[in-house]
Amino acid sequence: MDELEMIRHKKMLELMRRAGMIEEKPREPKVVIEVITSPGCPYCPIAWAMAQELERRYEGVVAKELSVATPEGRRKAMEHNIMGTPTVLINNRVEFVGVPNFAEFERRVKRHLSA
């Protein structure tokens, strides 16, 4: 296949994707950050904002907020024996209790991305 043919092929695939003729598999996130929060906690919004910033900065990172006021949040807190908020889990493992240092939070996310 010559260069012009490759360009035509790529362009045709792109047009077919846009038209919905080809489905792309959604990529699984490499890093899932879960911030366990509680209503009225003054520190939880800070930890959640950090997680959202890391999600924005790095492809493959997904951030989720789970409040202990919801059944899913309570289940996750019980599963990990979480007694304080905010608690940050990375890939279903407790990494921080309380508001993390942003540089350390970012370093740990990068470590998971490169693994």
Side-chain angles (χ1 to χ4, degrees):
M1 187 181 296
D2 68 346
E3 189 175 346
L4 184 57
E5 197 61 35
M6 284 179 24
I7 292 170
R8 285 184 183 141
H9 181 72
K10 285 182 182 179
K11 193 66 173 171
M12 182 59 73
L13 287 174
E14 181 184 328
L15 290 170
M16 290 173 76
R17 272 190 211 99
R18 285 186 190 170
M21 297 168 71
I22 297 177
E23 282 188 42
E24 290 187 54
K25 284 189 197 175
R27 284 185 151 170
E28 289 291 320
K30 188 157 188 169
V31 176
V32 177
I33 302 169
E34 295 171 296
V35 182
I36 310 299
T37 62
S38 61
C41 169
Y43 304 105
C44 291
I46 300 166
W48 174 232
M50 288 180 182
Q52 289 177 304
E53 177 62 20
L54 291 170
E55 178 182 40
R56 188 187 65 73
R57 285 187 187 187
Y58 297 100
E59 188 174 323
V61 175
V62 171
K64 298 178 182 179
E65 180 182 16
L66 297 170
S67 172
V68 295
T70 66
E72 184 183 5
R74 279 193 299 277
R75 183 191 57 75
K76 186 66 88 167
M78 289 174 59
E79 180 182 316
H80 292 280
N81 200 27
I82 293 170
M83 298 295 177
T85 59
T87 296
V88 177
L89 290 83
I90 299 176
N91 289 346
N92 207 34
R93 182 175 170 202
V94 174
E95 293 284 339
F96 301 101
V97 177
V99 177
N101 171 287
F102 186 77
E104 178 61 19
F105 194 176
E106 185 174 35
R107 188 182 70 72
R108 291 192 194 181
V109 167
K110 284 179 170 179
R111 186 178 69 214
H112 283 279
L113 282 170
S114 65

